[in-house]
Structure formats: structure tokens, C-alpha cells
Amino acid sequence: MAPAAPLPPLLPVLLVLGQPVLGEPGQGAGTWSRFARLPYPQDQLFLHDTFPDGFLWGAGSAAYQTEGGWRQGGKGASVWDTFAHRPAAPPGSVPPGPAGGDVASDSYNNLYRDAEGLRRLGVSHYRFSLAWARLLPNGTAPLNPAGLAHYRRLLGRLRELGVEPVVTLYHWDLPQGLQDAFGGWASPVLPRLFRDYAELCFRHFGGQVRYWLTMDNPYVVAWHGYGTGRLPPGVRGGPRLGYRAAHHLLQAHAKVWHLYNDHFRPTQRGKVSIALSSHWIKPQRMTEKDIKECQKSLDFVLGWFAKPIFIDGDYPESMRSNLSSLLPEFSEVEKKYIKGTADFFALSFGATLSFQLLDSHMKFQQLESISLRQLLYWISSEYNNPQIFIVENSWFVSGSTKRDDAKYIYYLKKFIMETLKAIRYDGVNVFGYTVWSLLDGFEWHRGYSIRRGLFYVDFQSHDKKLMPKSSVLFYQKLIEKNGFPPLPENQPREGILPCGFAWGIVDNYIQVDTTPAQFLDSNVYVWDVHQTKKLIKVDGVFTSKRKRQCVDFAAIRLQISLLQEMHVTHFHFSLKWSLILPLGNLSLINHTLVHYYQCFASELLRVNITPVVALWQPMAENQELPVSLAKCGAWENPETVQAFVEYAKFCFTSLGDHVKFWITMNEPSVKNLTYTAGHNLLKAHAKAWHLYDKEFRRSQKGKISIALQADWVEPACPFSRNDQEVADRILEFDIGWLAEPIFGNGDYPQVMRAWLHRRNSVDLYNFHLPYFSEDEKKLIQGSFDFFALSHYTTTLVGWEKEDALKYDHYLEVQMINDITWLHSPGRAAVVPWGLRKLLKWVKSKYGDVPIYVMANGIDDGQNMVYDKLRVYYIQNYINEALKAYTLDNVNLQGYFVYSFNDKTAPKYGLYSYTANQYEPKPSMKHYREIIDNNGFPGPETPELLCREEIASCPECHFFRTRKSLLAFISFIFVAFIVTIFFITYYSKRVERRYK
């Protein structure tokens, strides 16, 4: 078997499904069905590849967001200045805007500071906007020399750095004078005035600029500036005025494009476009109606401006048919004039512009999504495969986040990876990417409550220094590598696991059915064939009753047959303490259940499957403790320790002949344990271990340990020392708390004691971590035969508080989600490399201890589509375990999949269970194949000859230890038979002779 996951190659599938179709408007409607047909989970895996040579990497900013200096150098007021300076509004009126950009990041006075940030990043281009009111304070002549000099200095510095400028003429900051004199974009005069402003910019700066953007996101300007009044200039003119303003914006853009094309392109050789922003939307259901509604949603936001420019000079048909007289008309001459007025498709996609400012009714009752890849494909299909330049993209973090902006990093990672997939998988022509933004600034309607910069700015400081966030390092390295090149550690490995490796399956609690077989019933029945058609007991008539046998339990036979079908060598399950000893002591024993467990274990051994038995596993109801113990404090009560030891002794005595692989406690949940309960639990484990070691090991020859839940914890920002400290702390609290006393020095981790001491000294908390006596330390330390762990997923943690709902104040840790990771229906992250890191960590902490992965699995939502994810999960987690064994020399002895079937563990089983029938899922068959191959052998993998194991059968022990005696008895028996034969033969010959 090859080590790579058994997934069909993705590129041929995508080629069959097709690249963007060129043609009439509406071709983009095929996007949703195309992506719904892509193979799962292959299409959602992270793509390790690089971007095409010459791909443009940049960062951006906007004048009003970062420049500040609103009264410096002769600058005039913009509509944003006016909007932000409004006094508090009386009730019922439009509320004032947030604190504005008077100073913001003060880029006007820190031009070289910003340029140094660009140099550090290593970008190929920098997108910025010209402040119209800085160059023309009133919106028209005369020109402001100070403003002209400022932008010349900026362009000169960019030329020195070799950074390509991408210049936006208008990024929402219309001069207030034009709003006052003409009513802003509501006036048909504005397109001509905008053309005059653009001509000035082309004349003074065009020799140094190859990429021009006429304006940014006209949707926001028209709809929220003149329709809803939510943004400057704050005109609440309703839809009609919003559509009229958009009409003038399109005319203005077309005038500027033609101006450049006719008068400046021949000498300056640049390109001109318009930055259009869009959301992405997905259907509630994959029906034709809902897909049409999604298409309409995109028409009303992106198509509103893109279709006139890139297709035919007119608005989308869905807008025309739905808005009737509200939508202005273009004459045929205007349509021809507007059509084709873009040299590339400039796309803006991000939280603020694409989603937060999207009017809810423009979703048409469909669902928003952040799939940049699907949007790129839709644009390519809808608008004849244009060259696409992503001129703005990112997400945001809290305004309180300073340096370690993990959330921002993972959104960037997702968007950039989706861009790469659009290029490599979908054939979309993307030639550049711009992260937004270079530095923190004023975030429009969100003010300073969020941050979107790569560099941190302390807005309260005087000097406004730029401080690099973790995202700077991330983006810098990404630019250096031109993407995400494949790494050796990401490649699957060929190889096999050692002889005797334990291939197992887990069932928390086996299906117990102690209903007696018909052969144990002494009553006699007759069949009423005429009336009731049922069996009728004959009173007073009885038959002899035979002794109960293990074969009487039909449930056992069925479960054993399923396990045999899987080819596992080990089966792990837990006993039910609360049912075996209902009163918590030996005064009442459920002998029927104990006999059932004995039968189950012996039947496993009969078919060469080793039972792995846990004495106790906490469950929701009473923690699976006997009720009397649960009501008396459970593990908080020291008496539970002795009760557990008595219970363990009973189990060793009753089941020890059949069970050689014991777990004292399976996955005690540290999330639900108090420190006192954990203290007692450790003592109970140690006492049970020593009991087995002294009284049972010699005769039963088994092994025993504790099984801990051990998910990996990774620092959210790999470059952050603070995040690394948080990750180390969580590992000690989650795993080290119970592992260190047993596998380490006999006491709790020093990290825990130090942290709790600190918390108790500064807070009102009083978290007391108990102390062990020296005798208790000696008792607990070393009470193991192996390290058993359950591992399901990996968690990212950081120290900067970002989301209050996912922040642990007690441990001062922020949980972070990498949205590029695969997730199960239950939102468990699929991170195979986390298992390898965990195994290496255990080895580094506790030495060359034998390790068993006692449970590893994922839910499928009882949807067979997601069983494909489980196939991927099992394949890749086992492959990472193989890497730990072969490359890291981890002493790995076994691996168990969770779980056996859906009846006892719904959504997690390798067997589905419906209508009283078990059916193997594809994931079971795939796991069986891995077991049969003992891993992932390749053409060059040396053959491993393993001595066949003899089943550990207690009934067979007598015969194996008396082989000489058996041989002698066999010889006597054969001699006896031969003697009888000869006696009979010769006696018959004698009889015939005398006759």
C-alpha cells in the first residue's frame, strides 16, 4: 500500500469538471454545482504549492485611514472629516460617526517609516490612495503644492526601494467642497470634475505609476453614502438616490479610463481599472431557485458595476427586472462608452467591505460565505476570464490585539491558499495579491475597535512607531517562498510497524446482553398454530436444565464476528464499576455481568484477539461510579480510593486469567476534575498498580497502566515566545497534571505549582494543589508498564485576548482556530501532524517508555460522505505515527481506532448500525487493509518476518506447559490402538484357520 491517502488525483477530476466557461452573462451560475461535485475531502485539503513566477505580492492602505494630518499642508476637508466631526445627534436623527482619522497612523508625517515597513516585508507593490482634498482642497483647481510634493516624495521612495506603486485616485474621501456645491455623487457634474482631477494625477505622477485604480468599492459609496446614509456624506436618499449615485460613479470611471487610454497610455504604458468589492454567497439548499437567488445577490452587489464594465455597458438583467424605474438607464452610446473600461479585474474581498457593509436584503435569504476561491471562479466564468488583481484582502482582529495576531494570520493563510487553488486547480488568471493593510489605521464605521494592519500602531503615542506583528513574519516568509512549497515533513512515509504491533479498536462499553438462550429454559412450550400463532407454556412440564455456557450469549458471538472481520489484534473496552458492584463494595456482586465479561474475554482469546480492559472510565451519569460513592463526594472522598482498590482486586481475581492488558482509569477528564479529586485518583491508580504488581503479575503475567487523554497544543503564532509559553503551560495542565507524578518525578509539574501560586497571589481565586507525602510520591512514581494515551485533535492557543467566548481567564489562554484545517461535522480539527508532535513530546518528557495510542478517531455526523474524511483521518494519523516510530525512534507499541460501532458510540463507529444490522463502512475496510499490511510498505520496504504469536488462552495453558507428558500419552495411545489392531487381526486369522 502506498503511504499517501487513497484519494484520486484532484487535477484530473477538476479538468473533467471544467475550467471557467466563457460566454454570456450568467455563466457564473454553474459555480455552485461545480464546487458541490468536487471530491471530498481532497478538494478541501491544504494545497502545498507555489504561485506562478512573477506573481505580485503587496500591501495596501487608504489615505483617510492612515495619513492623518487633516489640517496640515493646506489640505481641504473631506466628507469623512465632516462626518467624523459631527456633534452628538439628538434622538431619532442619524448618529454621528466614530472618532475619525484626524491623526490616525500619522503616515503624512511618517512617510519613511511606512516605506521601511514595506522594505522589511519584501513586497513587490504598495497600494495607496491619493487624498483628493490634499491635492485639490476644494475639489477643483487650484492645485495644492504641499500635497503634490508629499506624493512625489512617496513615489520617489518607492522607486528607490523597487516597490511598484498601485495608486487609487479616490478611496471614499470626496472633498467636502464638492458635496456642498453640487451634492456630491448625486450630481451629474461630478464625473467631469473627477476626470479633471484624474488628469492632474496622470500628468504629475503617471510617469512613475503603472497600475491605476479610479475608485474603491463604488457600492459602499453609492449605497451607504447616498442611500442609507450610514457612511459619509450621510445622505439618506433611499434606493433611488443610491442607484443614481452609482450611475454617476460608473460614468466617472469610464471618463477617466478613456482619458488615460487616449492621452496617457501611449507614453506612460500603464493600466487602469476600478476596485470592486464583493461578498460570496451560497444557497440554503442546492435547488435551482436558491442558486438563482445567489446569482441575483452577486448581480446586485458586484455585477451592479462589473457587468457594465466587463460585459455590455448595462446593468444585470436581474436588477433591471426587479428594480424597474428605480434604476437609471444608459443610452446606447453610454453603454459602448462604459463597456471594456478596465484593463484588469481589481477585486477587494474582506470582512468590513464585503460582509459588514452588505445590506441584508441583498443576500436574498441565502447564506454568506468567505470562499474567496469560489468567488474568483465565479468572476472568471461570469466575465470572460479576465486577469484578476486582488487589490485588498484580509480579516481583522480586536482593537486590543497588539503583536500576536494569530486570527489574522489564519485568515490570510486561508485566503492566500484559496487564491493558489483558484490558479492551480481552477485555471483562474490571478496575477497579484494585496494584503490589507500595511499598518493599523482608522477602520471606517468600526473606528479603532478593530485592527487590520500587519504593523501595530499605538494610536495614543506621540511618535506612532510601527511595531511588526506576527503576521509580518508570516507574510514575509510567504513572499520569500512565493507560496507554500511542499515540505519533507508533509510528505507521506513508506514503511511498516514492528512485529507484534497492537492493531486495535475501541468500544467504551461493550454491548451487554445477558438474556439467557432458549436452551437454559426448563419450561416446555407448544405452538398455537390455530389461534394466537404464539408459543404457549405447558404448565407443570419441565425438562432438565443444563449449565450456562458462553456460547449462550448471542450478543458476544455477533460482536466477535465483527471484530474478526476487521482483522484487529486487540480490542479495548471498559468495565462498568457501577453495575459490577452496585453498592460500591463486595456485599453485592453482579455475578451474571461478571460471567458475561469472562465469556467475552475468553471468546476474544479464542479468536486470537487480545482484550484490553479498563477498570473505570468516567461517563456523564455519576462519572460511572457506584451511586453510593457518587453521592458521597466521588473522587473528592478518600474512601473512594480504597473502594477502587477493592474493586480492582475483585476484577483481577475474576478476569485476570483472561485479561493480560489492564488500564486502571481510561481518559479521566482533567476539565472536570478538581485538584483534590485528581489527587485521590492518582493514589487510587497507584495502589491498584502495586496491588497487581505484588499479588497478580507473577501468576497472570499481564501489564497495567493508566490511559490519559492527550490532545496536542500548538502555539497559535509559531514566532511568538509568549504563545509558546502558553502552549507549554496548557500541555502541563492537560497532560502533565496526571502524567508527571506517574511517569516523571512523583509530583505535580512545577509549571502548575508556579502558575497557581501566581494566580492565588493576584486574584480572589484559591486554587490549592495538594502535596504528596514522600511515601505517596514513591507509591505513585513509576506505577506504569507503558504510556497509554487517547488523541483526537490539536488545539491552537495564544496569549492575546481576541474572543471572550474562547478565552480562559483562569489559564490566560485564547483558543484559536486555523480555518484552513479540515473539520469534522462535530468541529473537531483534523491535524495528523499533531499526533507525531505529541509522541515526540512524551518521549522527550518521560524517556523511552512504551507508548500505546489507545484511541484515535473522528465523528462523521452519521453521514457517509464524512466517512471519507475518516478514511483520510485514519490513513494520515497512522502515517504520522509511523514517522514517529521510524524517524523519531518513539517506542510505539500499538494504535487503536475509536470507535467500534455507531450503536455504542454514535457517529464514531467503523460499523454503522441501522434496523438492528451492522454494516462495515469504507473506513473499516481501509483500516483493515492497513492492518493487513502492518503499515504502508513500499517497493523498497524490507520484508519483516514475524514469528506467529500463539494465542494467550488460559484453557490452553495446561497443555502448553506439559508437552512431554502429552507426547508420552500420545505414544501410549497409539501403541494401544496398534496392539488392539494386531490382536483383532490375528485372532480372526486363527478363527478362519480352524474353520
Side-chain angles (χ1 to χ4, degrees), residues 117 161 180 204 296 361 789 863:
L161 294 173
D180 294 340
H204 287 282
K296 188 192 300 183
H361 77 272
L789 60 89
N863 183 333

Side-chain angles (χ1 to χ4, degrees), residues 325-582:
S325 61
L326 283 177
L327 203 61
E329 296 276 350
F330 287 119
S331 67
E332 290 304 315
V333 173
E334 287 177 322
K335 290 178 185 178
K336 291 178 182 178
Y337 191 72
I338 292 171
K339 177 184 175 181
T341 55
D343 301 322
F344 55 91
F345 197 112
L347 175 66
S348 170
F349 186 79
T352 304
L353 309 185
S354 302
F355 296 98
Q356 293 171 3
L357 293 176
L358 174 67
D359 250 31
S360 59
H361 77 272
M362 289 188 180
K363 300 175 192 175
F364 295 97
Q365 298 181 332
Q366 304 308 307
L367 305 172
E368 287 177 293
S369 168
I370 58 170
S371 178
L372 174 57
R373 177 186 172 190
Q374 293 186 44
L375 174 61
L376 290 169
Y377 184 87
W378 185 88
I379 290 170
S380 191
S381 301
E382 190 80 5
Y383 302 120
N384 293 320
N385 195 23
Q387 285 191 310
I388 300 175
F389 192 174
I390 298 173
V391 294
E392 176 176 349
N393 178 239
S394 74
W395 209 246
F396 62 89
V397 293
S398 164
S400 62
T401 299
K402 294 184 178 179
R403 303 296 291 276
D404 291 328
D405 52 344
K407 174 184 169 184
Y408 185 90
I409 288 175
Y410 291 112
Y411 273 94
L412 274 191
K413 181 182 173 186
K414 173 184 172 63
F415 291 138
I416 293 171
M417 185 267 291
E418 289 201 341
T419 303
L420 181 60
K421 282 185 176 181
I423 295 170
R424 296 300 188 196
Y425 288 169
D426 308 327
V428 179
N429 189 358
V430 184
F431 68 91
Y433 178 89
T434 312
V435 69
W436 200 270
S437 63
L438 174 64
L439 68 165
D440 290 335
F442 173 75
E443 290 299 332
W444 309 117
H445 66 295
R446 299 292 298 272
Y448 297 99
S449 66
I450 63 170
R451 293 176 181 268
R452 295 182 69 197
L454 294 169
F455 287 90
Y456 173 79
V457 176
D458 181 356
F459 298 113
Q460 304 304 317
S461 67
H462 176 71
D463 54 9
K464 304 287 190 300
K465 287 183 179 179
L466 293 192
M467 291 183 283
K469 302 178 189 176
S470 292
S471 53
V472 166
L473 294 172
F474 167 80
Y475 195 50
Q476 181 186 59
K477 291 182 180 297
L478 187 142
I479 292 171
E480 286 176 4
K481 297 174 181 177
N482 198 33
F484 310 100
L487 301 173
E489 57 265 33
N490 295 330
Q491 303 307 306
R493 182 168 179 80
E494 294 179 348
I496 55 177
L497 288 148
C499 289
F501 190 79
W503 291 105
I505 190 75
V506 185
D507 204 352
N508 284 341
Y509 297 104
I510 58 174
Q511 179 188 346
V512 175
D513 183 358
T514 57
T515 303
Q518 59 179 326
F519 305 108
L520 300 180
D521 190 348
S522 60
N523 292 295
V524 174
Y525 299 84
V526 295
W527 189 273
D528 183 2
V529 295
H530 298 294
Q531 296 181 11
T532 65
K533 311 293 184 182
K534 296 180 180 179
L535 291 173
I536 300 175
K537 185 169 69 172
V538 179
D539 295 331
V541 180
F542 301 96
T543 62
S544 59
K545 186 175 181 180
R546 69 166 173 79
K547 187 179 179 181
R548 186 187 297 267
Q549 303 292 330
C550 287
V551 293
D552 296 327
F553 296 119
I556 292 179
R557 295 199 303 273
L558 175 59
Q559 292 177 81
I560 296 295
S561 67
L562 296 176
L563 292 169
Q564 283 183 283
E565 184 183 14
M566 203 180 299
H567 298 180
V568 292
T569 63
H570 290 64
F571 180 55
H572 174 29
F573 63 94
S574 299
L575 304 177
K576 288 203 169 189
W577 183 4
S578 62
L579 297 183
I580 293 174
L581 302 179

